[in-house]
Amino acid sequence: MNLPELCIRRPVMTTLVMLAFVVFGLFGYRLLPVAALPRVDFPTIVVSAVLPGASPDTMGSTVATPLERQFTTIAGLDSMVSTSGQGVSAITMQFNLDRNIDGAALDVQAAMTAAARFLPPPTQMTTPPSFQKVNPADQPVIYLTLNSDTLPLYQVDEYAETLMAERIGMLPGVAQVQVFGSAKFAVRVQANPEALAARGLTLDDLMSAVAAANSSTPVGTLDGLHQGFTVQATGTLAHAADYSPIIVAYRNGAPVRLGDVATVVDSVENTKVAGWYNGRRCVVLAVLRQPDANTVAVVDSVKALLPVFRQQIPPSVQLEVMNDRSVSIRQSVNDVQFTLMLTVVLVVLVIFMFLRSVMATIIPALALPVSVIGTFAGMYVLGYSIDNLSLMALTLSVGFVVDDAIVMLENIVRHVENGERVLDAAFRGSREIAFTILSITLSLVAVFIPVLFMGGVVGRVFREFAVTISMTILISGLVSLTLTPMLCSRLLKPVRHDARHNLFYRAADGGFQALFRGYRWGLVRVLRWRRTTLFVTIMLIAASGYLFAVVPKGFFPSEDTGQIAGFTEA
């Protein structure tokens, strides 16, 4: 007993198997992440090192070079770029596509530990090197802004950096949270050189006095016979008014205070950085995703925290979303999903127009949802996402999906029209065409085998496309060998050749006859003018080759996201 015959004799089993495809596909569809494209980012890690006061040459020779020597021993490293500036070095390492980013991060951490003995001592390099799993060429996935009309900006910055940035950085898929326009509170001491010179003081004297007066160094303990006390220094100064009375030195028996030789003001650490949103000063949080993270999933997890943040910050602080990259991704995917649904409707209408029977149309039409929805289960198992390429594969496969079912249906209908019983026609027709359907299915899948074995970024991008469309075609072949013959044995009716057809049937048949006559007229002319036809064909081939050579080429077509970004440099 072959597979179609088994399914015809076991309709309940066939129905349950097809329903399993649909149920698992629907569950997979709900769990699939949404993205613009398949995950093709190269695993990239950026190592940062800071040595205050060092020149770029010193950073390159004493910090970047020892780290680079250790990083070159890491497996799977494709490229490494080092940039050194005033007191800072950044080393960007790009790994091959097959390397896991988390495993590469462990190797980078081990290499940094091994290189620690070659770096400047901790007394000079107070902060050890650190790394982030982020692509420096990638744009942030979401921008958040914080501003207030009543609170000073440094208090707003405190909420941004200590409350929000640290919490967002703990989310899965988040690589780094950058703070633009930061305004960390600081007391700025602006020395007066003339006043210092008049009293015989230097900037070092000023620095020593401020450091000694603002010390939080542990003092020690006092131990007695019955009690012990921990001595704590209370010299931590918080505002400019606390710094002005500090005694820097004594001259002629009189104290020289800090306010006599300098101007002390409450300010921020970096006065050269600022951020604006809609004309108002603000602090901007930019969230960057990890190379293998899903943009929409990261944005959704960040947005889920916004109500929590709004409850924890004062009502006078406004938290807004400045830019969201997932909006354009969702809109693009929604457009492709609409195209997919429209394609399904058009295919069903075309089938109905040619078959001119509702029952006959239902049989191949059911192969569409079962094949497409069942593919979502396979996509979930393989870790794919709902993106433009996977949806494009499903859209293109709609035409392939119904081919097998129509071939099976036509062969069974042929036997029914010849006078056989519907059940006998289903057995005989499915047995005759089963091998043909198998060969059609495998030949269609074989077309995409070269795409499956393509390497590099192009291969990674289109591999998901090839696998998705191949799964859909294979499922459609299975449906054509199981569900379609079973439905034919239950839904088809014996053909009455003397029956009068309805108006739609006669109108469609007349249109097909006119189309056939037009095709025959053109075919007669083509066969009559063979040399001219051959010449025109050769010219079209040559023109196609020329157009292929001159047409602009690129990795992806440009798209309009409705956003304009401007950069200035001075």
Side-chain angles (χ1 to χ4, degrees):
M1 184 183 299
N2 55 24
L3 182 60
E5 184 177 350
L6 174 64
C7 294
I8 293 173
R9 296 185 183 275
R10 301 288 187 270
V12 177
M13 178 199 72
T14 306
T15 304
L16 292 178
V17 171
M18 295 300 106
L19 286 177
F21 276 94
V22 175
V23 171
F24 284 112
L26 291 175
F27 275 104
Y29 177 79
R30 295 185 60 185
L31 298 175
L32 285 173
V34 179
L37 295 172
R39 294 185 298 181
V40 294
D41 296 329
F42 282 95
T44 306
I45 293 179
V46 179
V47 177
S48 303
V50 178
L51 183 61
S55 65
D57 292 337
T58 302
M59 293 298 300
S61 59
T62 63
V63 177
T65 301
L67 290 172
E68 290 174 356
R69 289 197 185 101
Q70 296 297 325
F71 293 153
T72 54
T73 62
I74 300 177
L77 182 61
D78 281 349
S79 64
M80 181 168 55
V81 179
S82 175
T83 304
S84 297
Q86 186 69 29
V88 63
S89 287
I91 303 174
T92 303
M93 290 172 287
Q94 181 176 288
F95 299 85
N96 56 45
L97 286 171
D98 298 329
R99 187 67 198 272
N100 180 267
I101 186 67
D102 295 325
L106 294 176
D107 292 342
V108 170
Q109 182 62 56
M112 291 167 52
T113 303
R117 62 181 184 273
F118 302 108
L119 298 176
T123 55
Q124 300 178 16
M125 195 173 187
T126 56
T127 304
S130 60
F131 69 91
Q132 291 89 28
K133 294 179 286 187
V134 60
N135 188 349
D138 199 4
Q139 295 294 324
V141 296
I142 186 172
Y143 289 90
L144 305 175
T145 64
L146 284 172
N147 59 76
S148 176
D149 295 330
T150 58
L151 296 179
L153 197 60
Y154 61 81
Q155 291 189 16
V156 178
D157 179 81
E158 185 72 16
Y159 293 117
E161 301 215 25
T162 61
L163 175 63
M164 297 180 57
E166 295 180 359
R167 180 65 185 88
I168 294 175
M170 298 168 59
L171 295 175
V174 175
Q176 186 181 8
V177 181
Q178 297 178 344
V179 181
F180 298 122
S182 60
K184 293 182 179 180
F185 176 79
V187 177
R188 305 184 69 88
V189 179
Q190 302 169 353
N192 187 341
E194 295 180 355
L196 288 174
R199 293 168 175 79
L201 298 174
T202 62
L203 289 177
D204 291 336
D205 298 330
L206 218 61
M207 294 171 56
S208 300
V210 172
N214 190 30
S215 175
S216 58
T217 305
V219 178
T221 60
L222 294 177
D223 295 326
L225 294 177
H226 304 288
Q227 289 181 322
F229 295 93
T230 300
V231 181
Q232 296 181 350
T234 58
T236 303
L237 306 180
H239 299 283
D242 302 328
Y243 281 84
S244 296
I246 293 176
I247 298 176
V248 179
Y250 286 90
R251 292 294 182 267
N252 299 325
V256 178
R257 302 186 182 277
L258 185 61
D260 299 334
V261 295
T263 302
V264 187
V265 294
D266 289 332
S267 183
V268 294
E269 287 185 358
N270 191 350
T271 58
K272 304 298 190 294
V273 176
W276 284 269
Y277 177 62
N278 290 336
R280 302 171 61 186
R281 283 290 303 272
C282 67
V283 178
V284 181
L285 296 176
V287 181
L288 284 86
R289 66 178 180 89
Q290 294 181 5
D292 59 346
N294 182 271
T295 300
V296 176
V298 172
V299 172
D300 288 342
S301 61
V302 173
K303 286 186 174 180
L305 286 177
L306 297 186
V308 179
F309 291 147
R310 290 191 173 98
Q311 293 177 357
Q312 295 176 347
I313 60 178
S316 58
V317 178
Q318 288 80 38
L319 171 60
E320 301 179 38
V321 178
M322 185 175 71
N323 188 16
D324 182 0
R325 280 184 58 192
S326 69
V327 174
S328 60
I329 295 175
R330 298 177 199 271
Q331 293 175 348
S332 179
V333 171
N334 290 337
D335 288 341
V336 180
Q337 288 176 334
F338 173 76
T339 304
L340 175 61
M341 298 302 298
L342 183 61
T343 304
V344 172
V345 173
L346 292 177
V347 168
V348 173
L349 290 178
V350 171
I351 294 174
F352 176 70
M353 183 175 295
F354 278 88
L355 297 180
R356 291 161 288 181
S357 172
V358 175
M359 287 300 177
T361 304
I362 292 176
I363 295 173
L366 285 177
L368 274 172
V370 175
S371 302
V372 173
I373 296 175
T375 306
F376 291 127
M379 293 172 58
Y380 173 74
V381 172
L382 296 175
Y384 291 165
S385 61
I386 298 177
D387 50 59
N388 290 328
L389 286 182
S390 62
L391 290 177
M392 182 177 69
L394 293 174
T395 304
L396 294 177
S397 66
V398 169
F400 300 142
V401 164
V402 296
D403 287 346
D404 297 339
I406 290 176
V407 170
M408 176 67 75
L409 174 65
E410 287 180 342
N411 196 54
I412 295 176
V413 169
R414 179 174 63 88
H415 289 286
V416 174
E417 291 177 345
N418 291 335
E420 297 185 20
R421 293 172 57 247
V422 174
L423 187 60
D424 295 336
F427 284 133
R428 184 176 178 182
S430 60
R431 188 184 308 111
E432 292 175 348
I433 208 69
F435 184 78
T436 303
I437 290 178
L438 181 63
S439 62
I440 292 174
T441 302
L442 295 180
S443 62
L444 288 175
V445 174
V447 174
F448 300 98
I449 291 179
V451 181
L452 293 175
F453 292 97
M454 290 177 63
V457 178
V458 178
R460 180 65 66 89
V461 169
F462 288 99
R463 186 173 303 160
E464 183 170 327
F465 167 81
V467 172
T468 301
I469 196 171
S470 298
M471 284 193 301
T472 308
I473 293 173
L474 290 174
I475 295 175
S476 70
L478 179 63
V479 172
S480 301
L481 294 175
T482 56
L483 181 64
T484 301
M486 188 273 290
L487 291 176
C488 289
S489 66
R490 297 300 189 277
L491 299 182
L492 292 181
K493 302 298 181 183
V495 177
R496 295 179 54 188
H497 296 283
D498 57 344
R500 177 177 175 81
H501 299 291
N502 55 34
L503 180 62
F504 173 78
Y505 190 100
R506 296 195 301 271
D509 188 67
F512 294 146
Q513 293 298 326
L515 184 64
F516 174 73
R517 289 192 297 269
Y519 171 70
R520 182 174 60 183
W521 178 88
L523 185 61
V524 169
R525 267 70 181 170
V526 168
L527 295 177
R528 183 180 300 173
W529 301 89
R530 299 178 182 177
R531 294 184 179 180
T532 303
T533 302
L534 184 60
F535 175 76
V536 172
T537 303
I538 295 175
M539 294 302 296
L540 289 176
I541 295 175
S544 300
Y546 171 76
L547 293 176
F548 176 77
V550 300
V551 69
K553 300 175 179 61
F555 186 65
F556 273 109
S558 59
E559 60 176 346
D560 185 6
T561 60
Q563 300 177 357
I564 298 177
F567 300 91
T568 60
E569 184 176 348

